[in-house]
Amino acid sequence: QPVCYKGKEIILGSEKDFKTVDAATKALFELMEGFDNCLGIVMQPIMTVKSGEFVSTKEFKANLKKLIEKYPEFLDKVFLENVFPKVYSKASEIEDIVNEFKLKQIAIDTAHFTNSNQNTHQLKQLLEKLDKIKIYFHIADSIGKVVNDDDCVNLGKGKVDFDLIKDFIIFGI
């Protein structure tokens, strides 16, 4: 479910909701200032809007550009987390976004990656390419599909080969 701010869904990929995203981003940055040990904010580009349609990569990129231009600290404070299945989900899309927007840090959700019809070998290849940026890991296992509205299973019960990527996991939960 999308996160809400003052009763409105925060949908990073939706042009019509940019004002809400902008206000929420500003509020989150202000909130961070009150915590000495806050390392950053994990943000997900949301997959769907109320109509159930997927947002486009074009809209997502346009709003991401606006946020980075308006808030230069975005690059130092936000860990953009991969989602599935349409926007910012495939390894090539993640790499493209990182390079296009010169992201300094991202979040990788291992279950989301698996649910995007990718495997841990592809994730390892991506991590090797992104070795210059900080990566926060959302460590979760998956069988590669959503079951009962959940995309995760207990660690060790899914398809994620954590032994293959363990050397990259130095930061996360």
Side-chain angles (χ1 to χ4, degrees), residues 86-97:
K86 295 284 183 180
V87 176
Y88 192 63
S89 61
K90 296 289 187 189
S92 60
E93 295 170 326
I94 295 168
E95 185 180 1
D96 289 346
I97 294 285

Side-chain angles (χ1 to χ4, degrees), residues 82 89-91 94 106-114 118-130 135 137-140 160-162 164-166 168-169:
N82 62 307
S89 61
K90 296 289 187 189
I94 295 168
I106 62 170
I108 293 288
D109 184 314
T110 52
H112 289 173
F113 195 86
T114 304
Q118 299 172 103
N119 61 48
T120 315
H121 291 281
Q122 290 166 302
L123 177 56
K124 182 181 179 195
Q125 289 173 345
L126 174 66
L127 297 173
E128 288 168 343
K129 291 177 183 177
L130 300 179
I135 299 176
F137 285 88
H138 179 181
I139 300 167
V160 179
D161 182 355
F162 289 101
L164 192 61
I165 58 171
K166 68 183 177 189
F168 296 95
I169 302 173

Side-chain angles (χ1 to χ4, degrees), residues 12 41-46 60 74 78-84 87-89 94 103 105-113 136-140 151-152 173:
L12 187 55
I41 302 164
V42 175
M43 276 185 157
Q44 289 182 342
I46 196 65
F60 163 62
F74 187 97
V78 174
F79 292 83
L80 199 59
E81 183 178 323
N82 62 307
V83 293
F84 69 96
V87 176
Y88 192 63
S89 61
I94 295 168
L103 299 181
Q105 54 197 28
I106 62 170
I108 293 288
D109 184 314
T110 52
H112 289 173
F113 195 86
Y136 173 90
F137 285 88
H138 179 181
I139 300 167
D151 64 328
C152 300
I173 185 168

